[in-house]
Amino acid sequence: MTEFLNMGGYGLYVWPAYLIVAIVLILNLVVPLRRHRRLLSKMSRHNNLNGPHAP
Amino acid sequence: MSALSLAFHRLASLPYFYSLAGKLLPWAGGLSIVLFGVGLYMGLVLAPTDYEQGDSYRIIYVHVPAAWMSMLVYVVLAISGAIALVWRLKLAEVVARASAPIGASYTFLALATGSIWGKPMWGTWWIWDARLTSELILLFLYLGYMALQSAIDDRRTAARAGAVLALVGVVNLPIIHYSVEWWSTLHQGPTVSKFDSPSIHLSMLIPLLLMALAFKIHFVTAILARIRPEILVREQRTQWVERLISQRQS
């Protein structure tokens, strides 16, 4: 396992490269999904205030 | 209208695509996770160590797919931009706008992982050679497109202006691709695209192609996820979105 993490002495280059890729790829999904959810709840609040069911 | 063009009109309608994207999203996401899992295991564990570069070469499994995607997504951006320009198809406008930040992120990854790979192999993080500089220009093209989109409030006008920018920028793609042949550089030449005699062993090639496929499916997932809120914003004053919102509330 230590040998695997060491990557023949290049671990300090290989793993940060993979880490950056993982972070960016995950953000590419998390950011729009969260934006979509917030947008939906914002629109339904807005709808509550102005929509047909408004007091 | 023929059945084919009917099906196309249905697909291109924003309400239909919004719900289709929602259904496809989890499948695309799951498939890309599986592909990444297999590709990473084969690339990091099973593939042999390179006799020249040692294990540092394993950065190839993220660097090359990211670099391929940076160009492929630009093609998607330019083609959907052209379709939006010529036929004013709304879905094409949405696809173009959604693809730009994803393409920019792949370009950033290609540059960042290349830089990290360059340090131990070339002894420098960066050189101003043709391959690296043209890839950096690609990043600026994406960022310019995104800045233009956020500067113009009307999304339809923004789509047309952006499409022109994207189409002009296409000239950069062949420059990136052939840069390693046209100019002398530290960057190694093409490894895979020489189909007659690829200079990479199968045990290294297969994980590379798997990772490339995983990146492609990741792009599909990411663009579907971006298209959904983009459609909602554009269509917020329409009846179908209002119906969607009130259905959520009940």
Side-chain angles (χ1 to χ4, degrees), chain A residues 4 7-10 12-18 20-21 24-29 31-33 35-37 39-41 43-48 53, chain B residues 18 36 40 44-45 53 55-56 58-59 61-62 102 105-106 109 113 116 119-121 215 218 221-222 225-226 228-229 232-233 236 241 245 248-249:
Chain A
F4 177 66
M7 278 285 152
Y10 293 111
L12 280 176
Y13 297 101
V14 172
W15 296 119
Y18 275 82
I20 294 173
V21 171
V24 171
L25 293 189
I26 290 169
L27 280 181
N28 255 320
L29 303 178
V31 170
L33 287 177
R35 177 167 176 239
H36 183 240
R37 205 171 51 237
L39 197 61
L40 277 176
S41 57
M43 286 164 87
S44 46
R45 272 202 310 278
H46 188 79
N47 206 14
N48 270 341
H53 310 295
Chain B
Y18 175 83
F36 272 120
L40 285 173
L44 291 174
V45 180
Q53 303 198 5
D55 283 315
S56 76
R58 294 185 197 274
I59 295 177
Y61 296 119
V62 282
I102 311 171
S105 76
Y106 292 144
L109 286 181
T113 56
I116 295 172
K119 186 60 186 168
M121 287 302 111
F215 267 78
H218 173 270
T221 319
R226 263 186 201 278
R228 296 194 89 208
L232 278 188
V233 171
Q236 53 188 324
V241 171
I245 299 294
R248 258 173 57 91
Q249 286 166 334

Side-chain angles (χ1 to χ4, degrees), chain B residues 158-194:
Chain B
R160 288 209 296 279
V164 174
L165 173 68
L167 286 168
V168 172
V170 167
V171 70
N172 191 37
L173 292 182
I175 296 179
I176 298 175
H177 183 75
Y178 291 109
S179 57
V180 285
E181 293 171 19
W182 290 346
W183 294 283
S184 71
T185 168
L186 282 182
H187 197 287
Q188 60 198 56
T191 307
V192 178
S193 61
K194 297 177 292 182

Side-chain angles (χ1 to χ4, degrees), chain B residues 4-238:
Chain B
L4 190 67
S5 74
L6 256 179
F8 178 74
H9 274 100
R10 187 152 167 250
L11 183 70
S13 92
L14 293 188
Y16 180 77
F17 199 86
Y18 175 83
S19 79
L20 181 69
K23 284 179 199 129
L24 291 178
L25 246 176
W27 293 98
L31 181 60
S32 84
I33 289 173
V34 170
L35 286 167
F36 272 120
V38 180
L40 285 173
Y41 179 71
M42 291 184 74
L44 291 174
V45 180
L46 295 186
T49 302
D50 188 72
Y51 79 101
E52 269 184 358
Q53 303 198 5
D55 283 315
S56 76
Y57 96 93
R58 294 185 197 274
I59 295 177
I60 202 175
Y61 296 119
V62 282
H63 173 71
V64 166
W68 282 345
M69 291 309 291
S70 72
M71 295 169 73
L72 181 70
V73 175
Y74 198 88
V75 172
V76 171
L77 174 65
I79 291 179
S80 54
I83 293 173
L85 209 54
V86 175
W87 289 290
R88 304 284 160 92
L89 196 68
K90 279 186 189 168
L91 182 61
E93 295 177 5
V94 171
V95 167
R97 192 184 175 108
S99 62
I102 311 171
S105 76
Y106 292 144
T107 313
F108 165 76
L109 286 181
L111 289 166
T113 56
S115 180
I116 295 172
W117 194 3
K119 186 60 186 168
M121 287 302 111
W122 305 342
T124 177
W125 300 101
W126 183 265
I127 43 161
W128 289 101
D129 83 333
R131 172 54 72 83
L132 280 69
T133 307
S134 55
E135 183 75 8
L136 186 65
I137 289 172
L138 183 68
L139 180 62
F140 291 154
L141 281 170
Y142 278 122
L143 296 181
Y145 179 92
M146 288 159 66
L148 191 61
Q149 295 303 296
S150 56
I152 303 174
D153 281 333
D154 179 62
R155 277 174 146 76
R156 305 220 68 178
T157 314
R160 288 209 296 279
V164 174
L165 173 68
L167 286 168
V168 172
V170 167
V171 70
N172 191 37
L173 292 182
I175 296 179
I176 298 175
H177 183 75
Y178 291 109
S179 57
V180 285
E181 293 171 19
W182 290 346
W183 294 283
S184 71
T185 168
L186 282 182
H187 197 287
Q188 60 198 56
T191 307
V192 178
S193 61
K194 297 177 292 182
F195 279 112
D196 44 341
S197 60
S199 52
I200 178 171
H201 192 261
L202 261 188
S203 58
M204 295 176 174
L205 180 63
I206 289 171
L208 181 59
L209 295 179
L210 271 172
M211 289 297 282
L213 190 61
F215 267 78
K216 285 196 180 72
I217 307 295
H218 173 270
F219 171 64
V220 172
T221 319
I223 199 167
L224 289 176
R226 263 186 201 278
I227 282 174
R228 296 194 89 208
E230 176 61 24
I231 289 181
L232 278 188
V233 171
R234 277 174 173 254
E235 302 272 291
Q236 53 188 324
R237 309 241 177 277
T238 61

